Amino acid sequence: GWLVLVGVGCKMADVDLWLDTLDSAFDNFDEEDADAAAQQRHDPILVPRIKYTSITPEEFEQKYSATNTPIILGDAFEPEGPVPLQFDLKFFKETYANELVPLDLNTLSEKVVKLGDYIEFSDEEMNKGYCRSLHTAEWFPDVNKHLRFPKVMVNPVNYLTQPGQPGFEYPEAWSRWFELFISNRDCIGFPFLHQDMCATHAFSMQVQGIKRFVLFPPSDSQYLYTFGNTGTRSAVPHAEIVTSSVSATEFPLYYKASLHIADLRPGDVFFCPSNWWHTTVVKSAEPSVTFGGNYVDNSNKDEFLSKWREYVSVRNLVASGIASIEHGGKQRRATAKA
């Protein structure tokens, strides 16, 4: 509608200033109102939970692997399941306190600390760091020997335990792919929303604390502002995703994506299917300890092989100096050098 101003002895400069202030207030109101409305209607879908011992490998393949559907398998404690509850913070403090480990691996904020100092969680600045993605075969070989793959998830075999085709052999560490993740509630969590490499499936085994996975199906890639050489990272800020505060004005498409949540408790095994977007954050006051890994079965074998061959071919071209990697596009491009 129209706003009519009637005033006596009012200077035009004052009116202009008042109108500018009013415009700014309406602009801020519109943005805040849009964000609030979008956040309110972005209700999450909770990933279902079943008992680990209630399903066979054949049933798991049919219901979850073949359909690329996430699921939490509860009560997966040893010896019935694979979750090794003995490898908690107390164990790592007593056994590996002097081990030097990186926090925020492969980021600009990466730094090396003693594991024992970190898991005291008494240093406010150190608490913000994330001890993540440490391959146990390299960092904690004695622990790695004990870890077991969730048997119900693979029928008939994890293809990463095989050598691969000549020229496209898999890294030896992949045959026992277990990574350690330790964090606390003061840490914002995994640094970005992403898809795992080469269309592999992922699994996580929760030992201690409560860890939240925030997920989106592969079909929602168009809403997640992907970037990078392979288009497997999202530009939507991780911190805004896990705090439900993504700006609807800056990332309007985000609210068209189907938000899924999986809260892992001690003894849980989580299946994160191929190409599902995911990130994590600790939800409990107690710190979190998780073992995770990746694998390939019948459902994702063909796509994995295709992406693995592409990756190896590009890597070989770059290593030989024939090609370089261009950054900034959504797809990886090998560019021949003159």
Side-chain angles (χ1 to χ4, degrees), residues 119-139:
I119 59 181
E120 285 286 348
F121 295 111
S122 58
D123 185 302
E124 183 176 339
E125 191 62 31
M126 197 181 297
N127 286 354
K128 298 175 183 178
Y130 192 179
C131 181
R132 62 175 177 87
S133 308
L134 301 186
H135 279 264
T136 56
E138 176 185 354
W139 291 90

Side-chain angles (χ1 to χ4, degrees), residues 226-292:
T226 63
F227 75 99
N229 293 322
T230 58
T232 56
R233 291 191 184 185
S234 170
V236 183
H238 159 85
E240 295 181 16
I241 293 173
V242 299
T243 56
S244 303
S245 58
V246 175
S247 169
T249 52
E250 189 173 358
F251 300 102
L253 296 179
Y254 171 81
Y255 287 96
K256 293 186 178 183
S258 298
L259 171 66
H260 292 64
I261 283 177
D263 285 341
L264 307 192
R265 293 171 171 79
D268 284 348
V269 176
F270 175 55
F271 171 61
C272 183
S274 167
N275 293 321
W276 272 69
W277 294 87
H278 58 283
T279 190
T280 62
V281 66
V282 175
K283 298 301 292 182
S284 57
E286 180 182 33
S288 169
V289 178
T290 312
F291 290 100

Side-chain angles (χ1 to χ4, degrees), residues 49-57 59-60 64 71-83 148-154 203-205 267-271:
R49 176 190 302 270
I50 63 174
K51 194 170 182 178
Y52 181 85
T53 56
S54 70
I55 192 167
T56 66
E59 291 170 335
F60 185 89
Y64 302 108
I71 186 68
I72 300 172
L73 305 177
D75 296 329
F77 307 103
E78 292 184 330
E80 289 81 7
V83 181
R148 296 187 297 132
F149 190 85
K151 291 183 178 179
V152 301
M153 287 187 174
V154 171
F203 66 92
S204 292
M205 305 187 296
D268 284 348
V269 176
F270 175 55
F271 171 61

Side-chain angles (χ1 to χ4, degrees), residues 133-274:
S133 308
L134 301 186
H135 279 264
T136 56
E138 176 185 354
W139 291 90
F140 311 103
D142 290 338
V143 173
N144 190 76
K145 293 175 185 176
H146 185 86
L147 297 177
R148 296 187 297 132
F149 190 85
K151 291 183 178 179
V152 301
M153 287 187 174
V154 171
N155 182 41
V157 67
N158 173 11
Y159 289 102
L160 294 185
T161 62
Q162 301 178 351
Q165 299 175 357
F168 297 94
E169 292 84 1
Y170 313 137
E172 194 278 332
W174 285 8
S175 65
R176 287 188 58 78
W177 193 333
F178 295 101
E179 299 175 28
L180 175 66
F181 300 80
I182 300 177
S183 186
N184 71 105
R185 200 161 56 178
D186 292 338
C187 172
I188 198 59
F190 204 90
F192 44 80
L193 182 69
H194 65 285
Q195 294 174 315
D196 281 351
M197 67 173 296
C198 294
T200 53
H201 293 316
F203 66 92
S204 292
M205 305 187 296
Q206 191 67 14
V207 173
Q208 187 172 351
I210 299 175
K211 184 176 187 177
R212 170 167 291 181
F213 274 77
V214 180
L215 309 108
F216 302 89
S219 57
D220 283 351
S221 296
Q222 59 187 315
Y223 307 132
L224 297 176
Y225 301 87
T226 63
F227 75 99
N229 293 322
T230 58
T232 56
R233 291 191 184 185
S234 170
V236 183
H238 159 85
E240 295 181 16
I241 293 173
V242 299
T243 56
S244 303
S245 58
V246 175
S247 169
T249 52
E250 189 173 358
F251 300 102
L253 296 179
Y254 171 81
Y255 287 96
K256 293 186 178 183
S258 298
L259 171 66
H260 292 64
I261 283 177
D263 285 341
L264 307 192
R265 293 171 171 79
D268 284 348
V269 176
F270 175 55
F271 171 61
C272 183
S274 167

